[in-house]
Amino acid sequence: MHKVAITGTGIFMPSEIITNAELVASFNDYAARQNGLHADEIEAGTREPMAMSSEEFIVKASGIERRYVMEKAGILDPETMHPRLPERGDDEISIMGEIAVDAAKKAMDEAGLTAADIDAVICAASNHERAYPAIAIEVQEALGIKGFAFDMNVACSSATFGIQAAADMIRSGSARAILMVNPEITSGHQEWRDRDCHFIFGDVCTAVVLQRLEDATSANIYEILSTRCLTEFSNNIRNNNGFLRRTREGHMEDRRDMQFRQEGRKVFKQVVPMVADMMLSHLADEGIEPSQLSRLWLHQANKGMNDLIGAKVMGRAPTREEQPNVLQEFANTSSAGSIIAFSRFSQDLPAGSLGVICSFGAGYSAGSVIVRKAD
Ligand SMILES: CC(C)(COP(=O)(O)OP(=O)(O)OC[C@H]1O[C@@H](n2cnc3c(N)ncnc32)[C@H](O)[C@@H]1OP(=O)(O)O)[C@@H](O)C(=O)NCCC(=O)NCCS
């Protein structure tokens, strides 16, 4: 069995940003237009008027201040309310493939590896642009990597599940080094017309290089000590836009349930204890006391959730350095969130420092990765 390490990470950030102020102005414009269109029904009491969104609510309820998006104009246009991304031909690289290649090159540079050193590519994300051929195989081809590649989806936990899959393969010898990418174009499945969730998501792509510890030459090496994955079925975060859509009556409708929807409050209440318990039992099984941890790189969905999970795990409120948040800048970037936090806030720790990368979300699903900074 080989020891495994994370030796490189990379982040692709779209060039366009939507602030809460811009988002709320556009949503409120849309809501006012809808209320105008349906003024008679609202007047007659047969329809509820759409309520307005507010910047104060968004920051207080989530901690989110802005988000990166692939295409801003369509999202903010009250007549459109979704990104407009031109369809690409079969001979062009897909959008997910393109942003994955960008993040992957940064991660491979940090690891000091070339395509010839990588044996496999995993594309772990909440949505894939098409069913097949796999986005991972397209990325593999674009980078000139030999070996094999596959896509996997465990919603917001995709990256930690991907790390476990990669680490297990490297540990057992089926690959020496693996590239995992997390292209998250969340703006495509976000429901921008729903006040309850229109502020939640942002677009980004992260990449992680994992390899045998004995081969690692990077300046920032984290040995993976242990991984754990957990799932429990829940309908509280759901999207019904599956491939059987056209087999059903009314499939052409733009139905609400075909975009992201959630029972946010229930998710909050159910997922916080699930994740805290999983992290604590994972640490206990590895003989690690929470007081030994220098850092928690948590999934970036909600600041309140992270504060509660951090306090339950550490037994006290962690400092901002111990539990860095990036969601004020990025919003919820699904599987990429904990990797952004790790990528941005892992260089400064001294050798021997222990930390946990943890993600959680739809499924429900949760993944925990205990790491130690190498000498
Ligand atoms: C989504 C979330 C931020 C909402 O925060 P919350 O505190 O639970 O807020 P609620 O949905 O209970 O709404 C509270 C009130 O604010 C209102 N509200 C909702 N969105 C609003 C908005 N954009 N602007 C103003 N008010 C809003 C609600 O209608 C509700 O009004 P009411 O009390 O009159 O019924 C929060 O529940 C959350 O982050 N949950 C976890 C989600 C998660 O991790 N999901 C994983 C995704 S992958």
Side-chain angles (χ1 to χ4, degrees), residues 139-167:
V139 172
Q140 176 195 9
E141 213 243 355
L143 290 168
I145 292 170
K146 301 272 188 289
F148 64 96
F150 61 89
D151 290 349
M152 57 181 279
N153 176 356
V154 201
C156 290
S157 303
S158 297
T160 45
F161 278 59
I163 287 174
Q164 172 163 289

Side-chain angles (χ1 to χ4, degrees), residues 232-263:
E232 279 173 28
F233 187 74
S234 169
N235 274 321
N236 288 333
I237 313 171
R238 192 168 168 118
N239 179 319
N240 283 334
N241 193 11
F243 81 101
L244 291 179
R245 182 177 173 179
R246 74 191 281 259
T247 67
R248 292 173 185 145
E249 201 65 32
H251 70 85
M252 294 307 287
E253 286 171 36
D254 180 16
R255 273 192 352 230
R256 174 66 190 89
D257 67 315
M258 290 167 176
Q259 276 74 251
F260 167 90
R261 67 187 161 106
Q262 72 169 351
E263 297 285 342

Side-chain angles (χ1 to χ4, degrees), residues 25 31 78 103 161 190 271 275 284 303 320 351:
F161 278 59
Q190 162 87 310
V271 169
V275 171
K303 183 176 180 303
R320 282 216 310 241

Side-chain angles (χ1 to χ4, degrees), residues 73 87 102-103 137 249 255 267 290 295 297 329 338 349 351 358:
E87 197 167 354
D102 180 282
I137 303 177
E249 201 65 32
R255 273 192 352 230
V267 173
R295 198 149 292 171
W297 299 278
E329 176 183 346
S338 58
L349 293 181
C358 180

